[in-house]
Amino acid sequence: VAGGAPATIATVAIYELVSQRLLPAPSAEQDEEWDEFWDEDAMISGAWADKARSVGRRHVVFVRHAQADPEAEGSEAEALSATGKRQAELTAARLQELFGKVDVVLHSNAPEAKATAAILKLHLKPKFGAVESAELAEGVPSIPIPTPDPLASIADSVVASAAERAERAFSANLWRPTGDLPSQISTQVIVSHGNVIRYLTCRALQLPLTAWGRLASHHCAVTWLDIDAGGNVMLREFGGAGHLPPDCITYT
């Protein structure tokens, strides 16, 4: 134990030395690549958005839908597997711990997303309820690189349609608040799908739109974007699944 502190100091010193000598410092040109006007095409509508517009900070929280029941038929309540229902309940508890009050739960029109949102709404009691948005539907908004074999032959028209839909989802949900009420925070939960969440995350961070395939998100994983009135976007969590026990961590 006595040698622990010197060893730690030595390790830190080596890291700093390597970082200074081998890692290039960010250039001014790299800094200028951030688009300050990234949300100029924002489409802000709805009662929840009117409230969120004037706050000082927005928490946009994506949740991938819970595990679907492949044999489900009929009502929305039957759309999730038993594991999926537990995933959604545990995720609601996690969001309650993180954020307390939630303004709205938005969701796609897929049965598994609607069922997940219904459970979140039951526990979180969002001020503006649950709102369906067709723009949050699953799709392939760009061909990722590296390209998985199943996506190599997808038609250009299919990708273009999904890209247009994803861009509408971006404009409707990801924009800076005005900051007129600087001490207030708005929290919006969005229940969507793996491809869409990964794409929108890359889009919000101004990363290559072909990079989404290098990310992965389990069912009911939490992705948290923090947007302030200056237009700064911070990824505070991606694909967080620590609130789920091992037997509740599923991907397909």
Side-chain angles (χ1 to χ4, degrees), residues 8-24:
T8 301
I9 294 172
T11 300
V12 172
I14 291 172
Y15 171 80
E16 292 179 347
L17 180 64
V18 171
S19 298
Q20 291 172 3
R21 293 189 177 182
L22 300 182
L23 300 180

Side-chain angles (χ1 to χ4, degrees), residues 30 122 144:
Q30 288 175 318
L122 177 66

